[in-house]
């Protein structure tokens, strides 16, 4: 198999390879994420508009979109005015945000067993011995 590349002077994207190697994500979710990350940082995303830029149907797109939320690559929350949702804010992450929380939870879920055997405590009552000879004294001339 050969890979034929083009010279990248314009119209290219630089990505962290971790998302492409994330085996939890389907190819569909990876494609949606890469497309979203290819947009400028201040881009406003509308789900209906995103769906227009691919051949998948609504159900397919939404399942990939929900995968990204599930695995921490995407956050979406409503913006309210007068107690009504006026728009949805979407935050896209190149690195999953729940990964750190998941690792902390896994570490804390199985704490190591504590040895209950009573052992003598170490003596921490140290006194400075000031009666030692000072070997740094230099001859006074």
């Amino acid at each position: 198999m050969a890979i034929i590349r083009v010279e990248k002077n314009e119209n290219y994207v630089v990505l962290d390879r971790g998302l492409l190697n994330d085996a939890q994500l389907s190819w569909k979710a990876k494609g949606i994420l890469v497309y979203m990350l290819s947009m400028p940082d201040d881009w406003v995303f509308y789900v209906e508009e995103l769906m227009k830029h691919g051949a998948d149907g609504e159900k397919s797109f939404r399942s990939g979109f929900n995968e990204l939320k599930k695995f921490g690559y995407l956050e979406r929350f409503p913006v309210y005015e007068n107690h009504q949702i006026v728009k949805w804010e979407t935050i896209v992450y190149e690195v999953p945000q729940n990964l750190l929380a998941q690792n902390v939870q896994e570490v804390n879920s199985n704490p190591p067993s504590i040895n209950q055997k009573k052992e003598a405590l170490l003596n921490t009552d140290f006194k400075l011995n000031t009666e030692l000879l000072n070997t740094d004294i230099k001859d006074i001339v």
Side-chain angles (χ1 to χ4, degrees):
M1 179 184 275
I3 298 175
I4 300 173
R5 303 183 191 269
V6 298
E7 187 175 337
K8 293 160 188 76
N9 293 325
E10 59 184 60
N11 202 25
Y12 65 94
V13 177
V14 177
L15 294 171
D16 182 273
R17 192 174 286 185
L19 69 96
L20 296 172
N21 293 327
D22 190 341
Q24 298 178 104
L25 294 179
S26 67
W27 286 110
K28 170 179 37 187
K30 290 176 186 181
I32 294 168
L33 182 57
V34 168
Y35 180 79
M36 294 175 81
L37 287 170
S38 74
M39 297 301 165
D41 292 342
D42 61 348
W43 197 263
V44 178
F45 293 102
Y46 300 98
V47 174
E48 294 76 19
E49 181 64 28
L50 285 170
M51 284 189 278
K52 293 178 184 177
H53 294 271
D56 290 1
E58 181 176 351
K59 277 187 172 182
S60 178
F61 176 85
R62 288 194 185 275
S63 72
F65 199 74
N66 288 332
E67 262 184 73
L68 296 174
K69 288 193 283 188
K70 176 181 176 183
F71 294 115
Y73 287 96
L74 190 72
E75 282 184 328
R76 207 162 141 81
F77 54 92
V79 176
Y80 293 93
E81 283 182 16
N82 299 325
H83 305 290
Q84 289 191 340
I85 299 173
V86 291
K87 65 179 180 175
W88 285 83
E89 186 73 31
T90 304
I91 301 173
V92 182
Y93 300 101
E94 195 166 352
V95 176
Q97 297 302 293
N98 62 355
L99 187 61
L100 179 60
Q102 183 180 1
N103 288 341
V104 169
Q105 186 177 17
E106 287 174 7
V107 168
N108 291 337
S109 65
N110 295 319
S113 60
I114 299 172
N115 187 355
Q116 297 294 329
K117 184 172 72 172
K118 293 186 178 183
E119 296 178 2
L121 294 175
L122 294 175
N123 183 2
T124 59
D125 187 21
F126 297 110
K127 294 182 181 174
L128 184 60
N129 187 350
T130 58
E131 296 175 6
L132 293 175
L133 293 175
N134 187 351
T135 58
D136 291 337
I137 298 175
K138 296 181 181 176
D139 293 332
I140 302 177
V141 181

